[in-house]
Amino acid sequence: MNVGILGLGLIGGSMARAFSKAGHGVFAWDTDGSILSFAMLDGSVRGVLNEETLPRCSLILLAIYPDGSASWLERNASRISPDALVMDLCGIKEEICRRCFPLADEYGFTFVGGHPMAGSHFSGFKYSRSNLFQGAPMVLVPPRFDDMQLLERVKEALAPCRFGSFSVCTAQEHDRLIAFTSQMPHVLSNAYIKSPTARSHKGFSAGSYKDLTRVAWLNPRMWAELCMDNRENMLFELDTCLRSLQAYRKALEEHDMDTLTALLDEGRRRKEEVDG
C-alpha cells in the first residue's frame, strides 16, 4: 500500500514511521524541506507527495493544522484516486468535516475524520516514533454511521499504528468533548504557569506541579487555531471553570472552612464518579 502523509510533525512523522516499518511505501510533504530530506534519509519516507505520487496513494493522511488540511484537500481533490481513503488527524472536526465531506462526494474518494488520542508536549519530527499510537484510542467521524464496511476498512488501513480502540461520533460531539479533555487542560496549564511564584518553584515542587504544567509546553500557533476553531465549546468550558474557581475564592475570602471542605469533597467525588 502507498500512503500519502501531509505534514511530518509528531503525529504525521509517527504515522510515517509506523507505516514504513510495516513495509508500506510512504510519500510525504512538509513545509520544511530539511525535515522531509531527513525523513527520506532515515527511511521513514520513500519519496515526496506531489502531483505524480498522490494519485498512487490508497491512503492519505492529513496531519497539519485544520485550515491547512482542508485547504490542501480543496486544491488537490481532483488528483486523488476514487479508490483512496482520506483521513485528517486534526484536533477539531466540525469545520474540517464540513469542508471535506462534500469534496469526497464530488470527486469519488472516501473521507473520514480522525483524531488519534496520543501525543506529547514535545512537537516535531525528531520526537516522532513508530509506536506512538500503540494501545491508544482513535476517534472516527465517518460520513455515515451505519456503514460497518467502511469502519472495517478504516481499521484495516490503520492496522500498522496498532491503536487500542476505536470510537465513532459526530463532528459536533467530538468537538464538545475535546474542548474539555484536551484543549482546556492546555489552556489551564498555560495560564497556571504564569504565576510569578513559578520562578521560584524549584525545590518546592513534585508530582502535582509536574502533572499540571506538562502541557503548558505547547505549540502556540497550533493550539490557538484549535481553540479558536472550537471557540463556542471552549467558552462554555472556560465559563464553567471560572464559576467553580470563584466559589473556591469566595470560601477562602470569607474564611468559610465548611464550604471549602464541601467544594473539595465535591471535586473528589466527581473524579471518582467519572474515572472510577
Side-chain angles (χ1 to χ4, degrees), residues 44-100:
S44 300
V45 172
R46 180 177 297 178
V48 179
L49 183 66
N50 53 28
E51 294 182 6
E52 179 184 346
T53 57
L54 179 57
R56 294 158 48 192
C57 295
S58 55
L59 175 64
I60 299 165
L61 303 170
L62 311 180
I64 61 174
Y65 298 174
D67 180 65
S69 292
S71 297
W72 181 90
L73 193 59
E74 287 166 352
R75 293 192 304 271
N76 292 279
S78 63
R79 301 185 179 93
I80 295 173
S81 167
D83 297 324
L85 171 63
V86 181
M87 296 185 65
D88 84 282
L89 305 174
C90 303
I92 57 108
K93 284 287 152 282
E94 190 167 2
E95 178 64 14
I96 197 165
C97 288
R98 182 188 66 80
R99 293 170 64 179
C100 295

Side-chain angles (χ1 to χ4, degrees), residues 197-270:
T197 314
R199 296 187 180 278
S200 53
H201 81 86
K202 292 183 179 178
F204 294 84
S205 57
S208 298
Y209 171 83
K210 292 177 182 178
D211 289 346
L212 188 53
T213 59
R214 181 180 66 84
V215 293
W217 198 343
L218 46 67
N219 180 327
R221 180 65 186 180
M222 181 186 78
W223 284 99
E225 182 172 325
L226 290 172
C227 290
M228 194 63 72
D229 286 345
N230 201 19
R231 59 187 175 275
E232 293 302 323
N233 289 313
M234 280 297 293
L235 286 170
F236 170 81
E237 294 298 341
L238 281 166
D239 288 342
T240 301
C241 186
L242 288 170
R243 284 193 297 271
S244 293
L245 289 173
Q246 283 295 334
Y248 291 98
R249 189 188 188 285
K250 182 180 179 183
L252 285 165
E253 186 178 38
E254 297 178 356
H255 300 273
D256 189 341
M257 186 68 165
D258 290 341
T259 296
L260 182 58
T261 301
L263 288 168
L264 292 169
D265 187 55
E266 181 186 25
R268 178 195 63 80
R269 286 187 287 105
R270 182 63 61 86

Side-chain angles (χ1 to χ4, degrees), residues 60-178:
I60 299 165
L61 303 170
L62 311 180
I64 61 174
Y65 298 174
D67 180 65
S69 292
S71 297
W72 181 90
L73 193 59
E74 287 166 352
R75 293 192 304 271
N76 292 279
S78 63
R79 301 185 179 93
I80 295 173
S81 167
D83 297 324
L85 171 63
V86 181
M87 296 185 65
D88 84 282
L89 305 174
C90 303
I92 57 108
K93 284 287 152 282
E94 190 167 2
E95 178 64 14
I96 197 165
C97 288
R98 182 188 66 80
R99 293 170 64 179
C100 295
F101 281 146
L103 291 171
D105 290 339
E106 180 178 356
Y107 292 98
F109 59 83
T110 301
F111 178 84
V112 174
H115 188 181
M117 303 308 297
S120 166
H121 55 289
F122 296 113
S123 60
F125 183 78
K126 67 179 179 179
Y127 295 107
S128 63
R129 61 183 194 271
S130 62
N131 65 348
L132 179 68
F133 310 108
Q134 185 174 338
M138 178 64 168
V139 181
L140 302 175
V141 179
R144 295 176 305 279
F145 287 87
D146 59 350
D147 192 341
M148 298 307 297
Q149 192 173 11
L150 172 58
L151 296 178
E152 287 303 315
R153 178 186 176 191
V154 171
K155 290 180 182 181
E156 184 178 348
L158 296 177
C161 302
R162 302 173 69 185
F163 284 105
S165 64
F166 290 86
S167 300
V168 179
C169 66
T170 65
Q172 292 81 4
E173 182 70 357
H174 169 276
D175 289 0
R176 183 182 71 83
L177 290 170
I178 217 69

